[in-house]
Amino acid sequence: METYTKTLSIIVPCYNEEESIPLFYNETIKQEEFFHQKSVEFEFIFVNDGSKDGTVDAVKKLHEKDKRVHLVSFSRNFGKEAAIIAGLEKSTGDFTVLMDADLQDPPAILPEMYGYIEQGYDSVATRRVDRKGEPPIRSFFARRFYSLMRKISKTEIVDGARDYRLMTRQVTDAILSMKEYNRFSKGIFGWVGYNTKWLEYENVQRAAGETKWSFWKLFLYSLDGIMAFSTFPLSVAAFFGIFFCLVAFAFMLFIFIRALIYGDPVAGWPSIICVVTFIGGVQLLCTGIIGEYMSKMYMEVKDRPKYLVKDEF
Ligand code: UDP
Ligand code: MG
């Protein structure tokens, strides 16, 4: 038997992917020859994120004929972020790569990605240059989200960036050292830094099954992203506070002077109601913003496990 000096851990989060898993394995294994020439051996880590279909059996079947296939199976659905971290924690490779099970992250570019690592890059990331096959409304909001993030966060978050990423052990460990509970990978990758090479490719349609992201799930995820990597909303709240203090002061002066000149007939009930309700609304909005951050802090402080494992091999 040949021995290889290095290992590449392929980490695949799976949620209801029974159809995709064999397709994914067959496609990816085609790249094996290239990597063997470089003395790199594969290690597959499938993370079953509480699937309700035969995902576990599909992985078991692969494990029977290929002992390099491993599984971490969660006790329920914890989300893709949890699956990513579980896979990275279990990985033993000198390199790790994150890939979706649906073949939207084409395995064919793995050799090219590895080439850049050999050239000295610490990680090779991918972004898709178009959003073909995606509902236009989703693309629209995605674009708005990224342009907003660029303005309000110091961390670089790239539009169209996928989680498909090949990393050295050093970068993997850096990511694992970020212990936060509310995880937003796109931000975490930007935050850790290191030399990153960006590759671009056109959007690929899912091989089988359907997307696990509803519009609402994506919307909530984008709010997580904003709060995890920007405190700008808090500044907005403070800005409202200062702004209304100034307005109130100007108004006070105006009323004071007017009373001196014209006396003080009781009037202006409608305007008072308008001002009171408007400022009341702004106060609630600002309290809400603070509340959102507090709820994130609450979850961080509880320090619950990010996932629970039911089964692994
Ligand atoms: N996924 C997961 N947990 C979830 C949702 C998705 O592990 O709660 C996995 C899913 O099985 C797939 C990857 O994350 O391998 C990307 O999901 P999907 O293809 O549905 O997202 P899209 O490509 O449509 O953005
Ligand atoms: Mg997909």
Side-chain angles (χ1 to χ4, degrees):
M1 214 179 107
E2 271 192 82
T3 51
Y4 304 99
T5 53
K6 293 190 178 114
T7 310
L8 168 66
S9 303
I10 301 173
I11 294 152
V12 196
C14 303
Y15 179 51
N16 297 342
E17 302 281 8
E18 62 176 350
E19 295 162 68
S20 304
I21 286 168
L23 300 174
F24 172 86
Y25 176 83
N26 292 337
E27 272 308 304
T28 309
I29 212 76
K30 286 182 192 159
Q31 307 303 325
E32 186 180 44
E33 211 183 303
F34 169 89
F35 280 92
H36 281 173
Q37 280 164 14
K38 304 272 179 185
S39 194
V40 176
E41 176 65 309
F42 279 177
E43 169 189 68
F44 288 93
I45 298 173
F46 290 92
V47 184
N48 167 38
D49 184 13
S51 300
K52 294 178 178 65
D53 67 352
T55 294
V56 171
D57 293 330
V59 179
K60 277 190 179 144
K61 225 184 255 165
L62 290 178
H63 179 72
E64 272 157 30
K65 59 175 195 198
D66 185 346
K67 295 294 173 227
R68 298 168 303 172
V69 173
H70 300 277
L71 172 78
V72 184
S73 191
F74 289 174
S75 63
R76 63 168 171 85
N77 179 256
F78 280 90
K80 187 181 178 188
E81 291 290 345
I84 290 176
I85 194 89
L88 290 175
E89 276 171 3
K90 193 176 167 74
S91 72
T92 61
D94 306 86
F95 313 103
T96 53
V97 62
L98 301 171
M99 296 177 81
D100 285 1
D102 57 10
L103 288 173
Q104 280 187 305
D105 299 333
I109 64 171
L110 277 173
E112 191 187 347
M113 291 169 90
Y114 186 72
Y116 286 107
I117 294 282
E118 281 186 315
Q119 280 179 29
Y121 282 100
D122 303 304
S123 80
V124 184
T126 58
R127 60 185 289 259
R128 43 183 192 165
V129 283
D130 61 35
R131 292 179 167 271
K132 237 184 283 162
E134 194 184 60
I137 178 114
R138 179 173 292 195
S139 306
F140 173 79
F141 279 104
R143 291 234 161 76
R144 290 286 78 74
F145 168 72
Y146 285 108
S147 73
L148 177 70
M149 277 308 259
R150 258 199 303 283
K151 291 194 188 93
I152 66 173
S153 173
K154 288 191 196 78
T155 305
E156 192 196 6
I157 292 165
V158 179
D159 186 4
R162 297 196 50 92
D163 291 332
Y164 188 17
R165 193 177 270 262
L166 181 62
M167 301 171 276
T168 60
R169 177 48 50 185
Q170 192 184 29
V171 178
T172 307
D173 287 342
I175 288 166
L176 287 175
S177 75
M178 295 180 73
K179 299 286 182 207
E180 61 223 71
Y181 182 83
N182 295 291
R183 297 190 79 81
F184 184 68
S185 276
K186 289 181 173 64
I188 289 175
F189 293 140
W191 193 90
V192 296
Y194 295 97
N195 271 340
T196 303
K197 171 75 188 171
W198 285 93
L199 296 182
E200 295 183 344
Y201 62 84
E202 282 186 11
N203 199 16
V204 186
Q205 302 278 325
R206 239 177 187 282
E210 54 192 48
T211 177
K212 310 299 180 298
W213 293 91
S214 64
F215 187 79
W216 181 240
K217 231 172 138 183
L218 271 178
F219 177 71
L220 292 180
Y221 185 59
S222 71
L223 289 186
D224 280 351
I226 290 173
M227 277 184 285
F229 283 91
S230 166
T231 49
F232 182 75
L234 287 173
S235 313
V236 171
F239 169 80
F240 272 134
I242 294 169
F243 176 75
F244 281 108
C245 281
L246 291 176
V247 171
F249 188 69
F251 204 55
M252 257 159 59
L253 258 163
F254 168 73
I255 289 171
F256 182 70
I257 292 168
R258 194 180 61 172
L260 281 183
I261 299 173
Y262 300 105
D264 193 15
V266 175
W269 186 80
S271 59
I272 287 181
I273 293 301
C274 291
V275 170
V276 166
T277 50
F278 177 63
I279 296 186
V282 172
Q283 281 176 338
L284 283 181
L285 173 73
C286 295
T287 316
I289 293 174
I290 297 168
E292 282 296 315
Y293 279 92
M294 255 187 58
S295 74
K296 298 284 168 196
M297 275 167 56
Y298 182 54
M299 291 313 286
E300 296 289 346
V301 168
K302 280 197 203 189
D303 200 23
R304 285 184 183 159
K306 295 176 192 86
Y307 57 86
L308 291 173
V309 174
K310 180 166 177 271
D311 220 353
E312 68 181 310
F313 51 74

